[in-house]
Structures are given as C-alpha cells and as structure tokens.
Amino acid sequence: MSLAVTGAALDGEVVGLRIEDGAIAELGPSVEPKLGDDLIDAAGLLLTPPMVNGHTHAAMTLFRGFGDEMALMEWLRTRIWPAEARLEPEDVYWGTRLACVEMIRSGTTKFLDMYWHGVEVARAVVDSGIRATVSTVMIDQLDPVRGEGMRPEVLESLDRIAEAGPRVTPSLGPHAIYTVSPESLAWLAKIGAEREIPLHIHLSETEREVSDCSDAQGKRPAAYLDDLGFLGERSVLAHGVWLDRGELELIAERGATVVANPAANMKLAVGGVLPYPAAAAAGAAIGLGTDGVSSNSNLDMFEEVKLFALSQKHASGDPATLPAAEALAIARGLRSPVLAGTALAVGQPADFLLLRGSDPELSAGDPDADLVYAAGGAVVDTAIVAGRVLMRARQVEAAEEITEQVRSRAKRLTG
Amino acid sequence: MSLAVTGAALDGEVVGLRIEDGAIAELGPSVEPKLGDDLIDAAGLLLTPPMVNGHTHAAMTLFRGFGDEMALMEWLRTRIWPAEARLEPEDVYWGTRLACVEMIRSGTTKFLDMYWHGVEVARAVVDSGIRATVSTVMIDQLDPVRGEGMRPEVLESLDRIAEAGPRVTPSLGPHAIYTVSPESLAWLAKIGAEREIPLHIHLSETEREVSDCSDAQGKRPAAYLDDLGFLGERSVLAHGVWLDRGELELIAERGATVVANPAANMKLAVGGVLPYPAAAAAGAAIGLGTDGVSSNSNLDMFEEVKLFALSQKHASGDPATLPAAEALAIARGLRSPVLAGTALAVGQPADFLLLRGSDPELSAGDPDADLVYAAGGAVVDTAIVAGRVLMRARQVEAAEEITEQVRSRAKRLTG
C-alpha cells in the first residue's frame, strides 16, 4: 500500500511526500505521486511531526469531570478507586477508544499509557490505528506476598499485550512507590531488563510522597528506585514535581526520562511543576504528558505544551525559560529515548500531521511560537500513522458512536 | 427581523428560542418558530451564554509571535513600540477584524479593547458584528504639558467612537500610571464621570510598577489612582497581579473591576497572577481577559478560563480554589458591572453560543467543569450577537481574506 501527499507546506517550501509500507519513502519539493498511490491533496496545509503524549491513563475519559477540584489522595480514595472497582474490561476498551479519538483530533499519534486491563487498552489502540506503549499495571498495596501472588497474572497480561502487533509496545506500570512494595518493584525492574521493555511509574508527584519515602527509607524517591534497579534508559517517571537536583542528576546518569504533566499538577494543586531548568541542566531526558482526562480534563498536547512553557516561565520568573522550539521538541517526544518521537525524514515511520495553514492562529512569522503559544489541537486537519489516514478534515471514523458508548458507560460507573 | 432556534439543549432540556429586534423574545421547551422567522436547527447543539473578554489589544494580531519570550519592558521598548510607530490606521482596522474573527470562533461576543486608532477599532467592530468597549488611548510619557496638548484629539476620537452605533461603547484608555501623568489621569477621570463611560487602564502588572509608585508617590498604585478620582464603578483595572489586600478592599469599595490575564502574566513571567482569593474575599468585581495576542498568543477565552482556574489552584495550593462555575461566571462577564455579560433570559440581548454537543470533550456529567477544564474554543459551532448569526458550523464570513490581509501587513510592520 502506498500513499502520496502533494502540495504540503514545510518550512515555507511546498513539498510532496510518498509513503510505502508505513514509512516515508520520499520527501521533497520535486516528489510526485506514482501510479497506484492513494492521494492526499494538502494544498494550504502545513506538514509537521506529531505529538507524543508521554503519560496518560487513556480510559479515564470514563471519569471526566468526576470529582474535579478535590485533593489527589481524597479524590483517589473517595471517587476514582471505588468507581474503578466497578470497571469491566469492555469499559476500558471504549474509554481508551474515546481517548484515541481525542488524541488523533489534537495531533497525538503515540502515547504512553498506564491503566487497568492493559489487554483491552492494547485492543483499543490496535482498532484506533494509533501507537502506544501499553502497561500492565501493578498495585500490591505495599504487601510483597500479595505482589508475589500477582506475578503470573502480570506476566500473562504482558504476553498478551506483546501480541497486539507492531503499533503496541508492552511495558510494566507499577503505580507508585507508595502503592507497590520494594520487592515487587525490584521484580518488575528485573522483568523489564530481561524483556527490554519500558517501566512506567508515577514519581514525586506530591511533597508527602517525598517526605514519607525519606522517613521510611532514609532516602529520596529517585535514590530509592535506583537502589531497586528501577532506573534505566527505558524508565519513565511521570510528574517529578518534587525531584531535587541530586535526584535529577541520578536520573540523567541512568538515562531515565522524566515526564512533565503541568495541567494535572496545577489542577490538583500539588504545589509545583517539574523543575525543568534543573532537569535540563542535569541533562535528563524529558517528555510531556497530559495525564488522565480525569485530572486535566482533556488530552490536547497543543494545550499542554503551552501550559508547559507558560508554567516554566512563571516558575522561574524569566520569560526566556523553555523557548517554544525546545518545548515543542519535548512535546514531540524528541528528547527521550523511550518516547522516541520521529522526525520528518526518509526512512522514518510515516507518522505526521497536516495543519490548517489558513487558521488565523497560525498567522505569525515564527511557526514554533505559533504552535506552542497560539494553536490548539483544533488546527490539526489530517493525522496519519504508519501511512494510514486516521483523520481527514477533522473527521475520525466512528467518533460519535464511541463518544456515545463512553457517555452511557460513564453514567453507570459514576452514577 | 426575527430568528428562531429550535431543538437546542439547555441544562438537559430541549428548548426553542425566538429573537426579535436583537433581544430574546421567547425561550423555553414549548417555543415554536413563527411565520417569517429565519430558522436555525440546533439539534445536537448546546445553548450557552457567550464569553466576555475583559482586557485585550485586539489589533495586536498584527504582532503575533513578534518578540516572544522577552521581558515586558524590553519587549515594549525594542519590539512593540518601534513597530507601533509604523502603524497605519488601516492596519489597526484589519488587525482588529482578525481579532474579531478569532474571538467569534472561540465564543467571545464582547470585548474591552485598548489600542491606538480607536476609531478604526470601532469601525472593525461594527463590520464584524461583535460588541466592544473601545478606548481612546492616551500616553503622555508623564509630561502634563504634552498631555494637555493631546486633550482635543482625545475628545474628538471619543466623539467619533461614540457615533459607531449601539454595539460600541466608547471609553478612555490611559495606558498605565507609569506612562500617563497624574494631571492627565485626573482629567480623564473627570471626562469619564461626566460622560458616564468606562475608564480602562493597566494596573499593578509588575512588581517594579508598585515599587516605583510607592517610592515616587508614597502610596501604592490603587491608592494613587483613587486620589486622582480614577476608581469607580466604570473603572477597569487590567492585570492587578501585585495588588495587596488593602488595595483590593479599596477597589471593592469603589466598585471598580479587576481583570485577570493569567496567560499573559505567566508568559511574560511577571511573578504572579491576580490574587483571586483576596479579591473575592474583598468583594471586588472581577473579569477575565486574554490580553493582546502578542502576549498570549491567542484570544481563546475557553483556554484562558482553564488557565485562570488552574493558575489560582496552583497559587493557593488548594484544588478547590476558584471552582468551575465561578470561573465561568467571571469569564462570561457576570461578575462585573462594566463587563456586563448577559444571561439567557427573555428581554436580554440575543447574544449566545451553540456548542457541538457531540464533541468528545463534552462527555462528562458536569457541564461547567467540561467548559472550563476540557473544552477549547473549537467546541463553538454557532455564535450569535444581537440576533445576528456571526458564525455557523464554524464558518465566519471573510475569515480567510482577513487573515491574509493581516499576514501581509504584519510582514511590513515587523520585517
């Protein structure tokens, strides 16, 4: 199957693009369609790399607007955990399908997920056409015996996710150091190393997490994880609000990725945002994520990258902190080996966006500044993953049915 | 001219709406169109009040992305003021037209503007169909003699703006206490009181402004303005980042409105945001604005209201600060006598929105939380002002031509 895109604007030049077997085969001003190519006329559209959502809980579209304005632990205990106890695997499938629709509509073509029923998440990802790193979640409530009992199930889920095909990467998703025992974390780290798959965990989201860890373990969270063998090039540490300089240096040394989630951090008022200047100074790999819809409340990485840049300027008191080009590179997953965003180049996966160049928000001279500060996800006209058109003229297949499914399931779960 | 809207959803009920002479004549579940009505079939659309943008510089769409990431005073001195020196009245007309397109597209039907060539701003507002309070700007560089020389021109501009018709309210817009002499401020306050028109000024945006005022005048900015007779029910004070409790109590006592501009404050890293909890505790009237595009970089009040709520939770450390319903009321201009947003009720001006109810972002149980935390301006399908349809199915008349005009003019001004 081959696809040709004609007349797209790239860095002020009109280019064509040919896609074969899901990869970019040709790209440049003189590229022409070949006989038998499917065709996209991209006149007036801007060609750009897509966004990579570095941390989310996709199926939580089921819980949008459920318990807004509550503190993190109270919200988890009184709203989310009881509702999640009622979750059926099929709910997770549909919740994830809706998240995929929303991500496609706002220019994200790959995400790192952490949620229950990973097998259903993987199925939804496959059906939606998007890419994802899908976790097998683990919470043993700090009980190593319980954790040991869960291991066969974890391995089985991992194997089933691994069968989902080339657009799905299996990973291990222990929730956090305050919900998973050190024995289980060490075991997951070992499995992750053996299978060469990502480890995905929440880390240092609240100040309480840091003080509890320091009190109980005599060390801060990153050092604690490192001593369990958890930090490496495939480790993804979401939030990282309270990481200090020493922890960021350790994380950088291990090659692990910290993922900022500014909207969720501000909405839940956890007291800060990822200390980006310190993370950058340490040389840490960095990503950006929306977190779940229930703590954001959307999955729009264009909105998130603006919040990321603005919250960092606000925190540092310097408008030059986190310039647009760097914020955008992070949002595209280009500053992390795990997020592994791709560039527009021959041989790369054919994952890209076509933006509506006539939208008034894109009227400035600096395209990076436009995309970060002015545009919302609604500027995306067309989204293509592995050479397959997932959205054209803002229409995503089955979007209304999927929305309806989630609305009725949400009522059952939260009513 | 009469218009009927059928099948819209309002608070979970299906309603009809009839509009006569620019006002809501009938509203309710049993309202039917009459012979001769123009018709809008709003099946699947949600009826809501529109947004009121409490502080902007509309024509600065001409300067989008020009000098991003610079500190406020450096940016004004090295970029904006030199570029503004090249402004032709016609540039302001087209820049404002584009801002009106962007505001209509994101659900704003009224704005408070402060910019040069107010007569052109008013002409653009009239041609766009939107409503605005349009300022005659004054900057005398603290030179009262120069200020006195400007008075005839100010009055002439004010008279011409006043002739623009019922959708335009004339106002006086001295830039700030550090660019306008006390003699001119007192004169403007007097003219404003005589003509019963709004006064619109930047106040307490940077810490430097406060310390300079305290050093030179022996009092903080709000007290200084009050002693000049400037604070009253028609006064609009934009930013207010560094207002203290005493100033907020004084402002509340005078009935003046403070307008929060969180995106611009964070982007320019002025060190804070309007202290909302203190302003609310003092009982001050409050509005929300996007500021100019050149310091935001868009005019989307749906994005701004999310930033407003999130930045206040972040500042207070409490996720319950500024709940969605209150943030939305402020964004709709319902918490200020000058912004004067209107409700959906018989006898009120026929200014309202129809939102795409099938958009996935609107899938939650709490509609206010959806609109604040999940939706962007792109959920707006239809915008109606004074009974006239300014956008339908996201199409605004002449939007592409206006965008092209501004792009070519921006090149001349900033090139």
Side-chain angles (χ1 to χ4, degrees), chain B residues 71-338:
Chain B
L72 177 62
M73 291 314 300
E74 184 199 358
W75 170 72
L76 287 174
R77 288 199 184 112
T78 68
R79 298 294 182 99
I80 295 302
W81 289 342
E84 286 184 340
R86 292 192 285 273
L87 271 181
E88 302 290 334
E90 197 72 6
D91 295 325
V92 171
Y93 173 80
W94 287 105
T96 306
R97 284 297 303 267
L98 183 60
C100 292
V101 168
E102 293 185 44
M103 287 192 265
I104 292 165
R105 277 166 55 93
S106 53
T108 292
T109 59
K110 174 157 74 169
F111 65 103
L112 275 72
D113 200 59
M114 181 197 289
Y115 208 63
W116 305 110
H117 303 294
V119 173
E120 296 300 311
V121 175
R123 186 162 71 91
V125 168
V126 169
D127 290 352
S128 74
I130 204 170
R131 296 183 198 269
T133 294
V134 176
S135 302
T136 289
V137 175
M138 191 172 182
I139 293 186
D140 66 12
Q141 304 293 3
L142 301 176
D143 176 351
V145 177
R146 191 167 165 183
E148 204 164 336
M150 299 170 87
R151 292 182 187 180
E153 205 182 318
V154 166
L155 292 174
E156 195 209 328
S157 158
L158 203 56
D159 288 340
R160 291 183 59 197
I161 294 169
E163 288 162 7
R167 283 186 285 98
V168 172
T169 303
S171 73
L172 290 162
H175 173 263
I177 59 171
Y178 56 87
T179 48
V180 185
S181 65
E183 292 82 356
S184 291
L185 289 171
W187 177 75
L188 291 165
K190 189 176 70 76
I191 300 294
E194 281 171 14
R195 305 199 177 192
E196 298 184 346
I197 58 174
L199 302 169
H200 185 175
I201 191 167
H202 295 104
L203 192 73
S204 211
E205 182 173 2
T206 65
E207 199 170 14
R208 171 80 185 273
E209 179 183 340
V210 179
S211 60
D212 283 358
C213 180
S214 299
D215 290 350
Q217 311 294 339
K219 49 197 161 194
R220 293 177 66 96
Y224 171 70
L225 272 189
D226 190 48
D227 288 347
L228 296 169
F230 201 90
L231 296 189
E233 282 186 12
R234 285 179 300 272
S235 307
V236 175
L237 314 170
H239 298 288
V241 171
W242 295 94
L243 293 171
D244 71 8
R245 184 174 295 258
E247 289 179 290
L248 288 162
E249 282 166 2
L250 173 63
I251 287 165
E253 204 173 302
R254 297 290 181 262
T257 294
V258 287
V259 173
N261 299 271
N265 297 152
M266 291 176 73
K267 185 159 181 261
L268 291 162
V270 297
V273 288
L274 176 78
Y276 166 78
I286 304 177
L288 179 68
T290 59
D291 208 347
V293 149
S294 53
S295 47
N296 184 311
S297 305
N298 66 38
L299 297 161
D300 184 343
M301 285 287 288
F302 281 86
E303 182 182 291
E304 198 74 28
V305 73
K306 179 170 182 175
L307 256 179
F308 184 36
L310 264 53
S311 62
Q312 292 296 335
K313 296 171 197 306
H314 180 62
S316 70
D318 179 358
T321 299
L322 190 50
E326 187 58 21
L328 206 51
I330 293 170
R332 289 171 171 165
L334 298 168
R335 294 291 182 266
S336 154
V338 196

Side-chain angles (χ1 to χ4, degrees), chain A residues 247-323:
Chain A
E247 290 180 287
L248 288 163
E249 283 166 2
L250 173 63
I251 287 166
E253 204 173 303
R254 296 291 181 258
T257 296
V258 288
V259 173
N261 298 272
N265 297 153
M266 291 175 74
K267 184 156 181 265
L268 290 163
V270 297
V273 289
L274 176 78
Y276 166 78
I286 303 176
L288 179 68
T290 59
D291 207 347
V293 149
S294 52
S295 47
N296 184 313
S297 304
N298 66 38
L299 298 161
D300 184 344
M301 285 287 289
F302 281 87
E303 183 184 290
E304 198 73 29
V305 73
K306 179 171 183 174
L307 256 179
F308 184 35
L310 264 53
S311 62
Q312 292 296 335
K313 296 171 196 305
H314 180 63
S316 70
D318 179 358
T321 299
L322 191 48

Side-chain angles (χ1 to χ4, degrees), chain A residues 66 95 123 177 192 202 230 239 259 262 268-269 308 318 371-372 383 393 396 410:
Chain A
F66 181 55
R123 186 163 70 92
I177 58 171
H202 295 104
F230 200 90
H239 297 288
V259 173
L268 290 163
F308 184 35
D318 179 358
L371 294 183
V372 172
V396 180

Side-chain angles (χ1 to χ4, degrees), chain A residues 64 68-70 98 267 269 296-298 303 306-307 313 319 323-324 357-360 363-364 369 373-374 378 400 407, chain B residues 64 68-70 98 266-267 269 296-298 303 306 313 319 323-324 357-360 363-364 369 373-374 378 400 407:
Chain A
R64 190 187 331 256
D68 279 318
E69 300 161 1
M70 293 171 77
L98 183 60
K267 184 156 181 265
N296 184 313
S297 304
N298 66 38
E303 183 184 290
K306 179 171 183 174
L307 256 179
K313 296 171 196 305
S358 63
D359 269 14
S363 62
Y373 302 121
E400 298 214 1
R407 287 182 190 185
Chain B
R64 186 183 338 251
D68 277 318
E69 299 160 2
M70 294 171 76
L98 183 60
M266 291 176 73
K267 185 159 181 261
N296 184 311
S297 305
N298 66 38
E303 182 182 291
K306 179 170 182 175
K313 296 171 197 306
S358 64
D359 270 14
S363 63
Y373 302 120
E400 296 214 2
R407 286 182 189 187

